[in-house]
């Protein structure tokens, strides 16, 4: 399932804030990479494991996310049909095509390679660099995280700049690929954690302008007060 970019970024930051033992506050909104954590001297880029043909769906979502059903163009229903997902009466996502077998490993490899190129060309570099990838596997599709761990280790071993941590979000589990310790560890999302993170990310997405320099913790505090 493909979501709006900023919502993904907020969800990723929140999931690490609440679930990653190494986390120290706080994430500050940025560009290239998407978040900066000054205390950890960490830059974090967030992306979805998409192939080029998925980019059209991503652009469509960026343009129409949150619109009422009747505000979407007629051709969208002809193209995506029942794959259009609505939340509280508004467009929220495009579901995967059930008729097409999803190659999550190839998508993750492709996106990792593109982000590694950008890390070595136009990203701000901190002492530590992180990449958070949403793989969006459907129920029953297990991800070979170990295979991805080895692929990513091999691909960046000759690069000047490398990702020290890669977080693979597989919905129920977040795999932490730690290239400092050369380990891979799963974070199993506790019961109801996914619903909690989704709800908080959706709400605080609209709590502020999210300009560069915006603190995740400051917006989260505002959200808590308003609740």
């Amino acid at each position: 399932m493909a979501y709006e970019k900023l919502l993904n970024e907020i969800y990723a930051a929140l999931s690490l804030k609440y679930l990653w033992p190494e986390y120290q506050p706080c994430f500050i909104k940025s560009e290239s990479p998407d978040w900066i954590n000054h205390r950890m001297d960490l830059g974090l880029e967030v992306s979805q494991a998409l192939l080029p043909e998925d980019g059209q769906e991503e652009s469509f979502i960026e343009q129409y996310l949150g619109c009422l059903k009747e505000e979407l163009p007629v051709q969208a229903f002809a193209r995506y049909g029942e794959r259009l997902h609505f939340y509280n009466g508004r467009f929220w996502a495009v579901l995967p095509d059930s008729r097409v077998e999803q190659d999550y490993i190839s998508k993750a490899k492709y996106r990792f390679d593109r982000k590694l190129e950008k890390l070595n060309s136009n990203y701000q570099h901190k002492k530590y660099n992180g990449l958070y990838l949403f793989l969006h596997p459907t129920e029953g599709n297990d991800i070979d995280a170990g295979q991805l761990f080895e692929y990513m280790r091999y691909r960046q071993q000759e690069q000047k700049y490398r990702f020290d941590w890669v977080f693979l979000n597989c919905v129920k589990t977040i795999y932490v690929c730690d290239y400092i310790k050369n380990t891979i560890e799963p974070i199993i999302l506790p019961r109801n954690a996914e619903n909690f993170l989704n709800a908080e990310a959706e709400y605080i997405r609209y709590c502020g302008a999210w300009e560069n320099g915006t603190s995740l913790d400051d917006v989260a505090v505002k959200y808590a007060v308003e609740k």
Side-chain angles (χ1 to χ4, degrees):
M1 187 185 295
Y3 290 99
E4 181 225 12
K5 185 177 186 296
L6 179 56
L7 180 65
N8 271 344
E9 293 169 2
I10 294 170
Y11 182 102
L14 287 173
S15 70
L16 297 184
K17 173 184 175 180
Y18 288 119
L19 300 172
W20 186 34
E22 305 260 358
Y23 173 79
Q24 299 179 49
C26 65
F27 281 124
I28 305 296
K29 190 70 189 78
S30 182
E31 287 297 334
S32 299
D34 298 307
W35 297 101
I36 297 292
N37 186 312
H38 294 294
R39 182 175 296 184
M40 298 184 71
D41 205 359
L42 167 67
L44 180 71
E45 178 72 3
V46 181
S47 186
Q48 298 186 74
L50 298 173
L51 293 172
E53 57 265 29
D54 299 321
Q56 294 182 0
E57 292 181 11
E58 191 174 25
S59 296
F60 172 77
I61 292 166
E62 289 287 334
Q63 183 174 356
Y64 292 104
L65 184 84
C67 290
L68 294 170
K69 189 173 185 178
E70 54 269 24
E71 294 175 333
L72 268 62
V74 175
Q75 57 266 35
F77 295 92
R79 177 169 185 172
Y80 299 116
E82 293 183 356
R83 295 176 60 203
L84 295 173
H85 176 69
F86 294 88
Y87 180 82
N88 287 341
R90 294 182 178 275
F91 171 60
W92 202 245
V94 176
L95 301 174
D97 190 340
S98 59
R99 300 167 299 177
V100 178
E101 184 176 355
Q102 302 294 315
D103 186 351
Y104 299 102
I105 295 294
S106 293
K107 291 182 177 184
K109 289 178 178 179
Y110 175 85
R111 188 53 53 191
F112 175 81
D113 287 346
R114 301 291 79 74
K115 291 300 181 180
L116 183 60
E117 288 176 8
K118 290 186 176 181
L119 177 66
N120 280 274
S121 59
N122 65 348
Y123 277 9
Q124 300 179 58
H125 298 121
K126 308 301 289 182
K127 181 178 180 179
Y128 302 107
N129 302 294
L131 175 64
Y132 192 111
L133 276 181
F134 287 91
L135 273 64
H136 300 303
T138 54
E139 189 171 351
N141 283 285
D142 294 327
I143 297 295
D144 189 343
Q147 178 186 346
L148 282 174
F149 177 86
E150 290 301 326
Y151 175 85
M152 294 185 293
R153 183 183 63 79
Y154 171 77
R155 285 288 294 120
Q156 61 180 351
Q157 62 185 359
E158 301 298 329
Q159 298 293 325
K160 179 178 181 180
Y161 297 105
R162 308 175 189 180
F163 289 113
D164 301 284
W165 288 288
V166 179
F167 306 92
L168 303 174
N169 185 307
C170 299
V171 183
K172 301 296 183 184
T173 305
I174 300 172
Y175 293 96
V176 181
C177 300
D178 186 333
Y179 293 103
I180 301 171
K181 301 176 182 176
N182 200 34
T183 60
I184 178 171
E185 296 290 342
I187 297 176
I188 309 298
L189 269 68
R191 186 179 181 182
N192 298 324
E194 186 183 358
N195 290 337
F196 166 76
L197 290 170
N198 278 327
E200 183 157 354
E202 289 170 15
Y203 188 89
I204 70 172
R205 159 68 178 84
Y206 297 102
C207 278
W210 287 105
E211 299 172 347
N212 288 353
T214 300
S215 163
L216 177 73
D217 283 3
D218 287 349
V219 178
V221 167
K222 177 183 176 182
Y223 162 62
V225 170
E226 291 180 351
K227 281 182 67 178

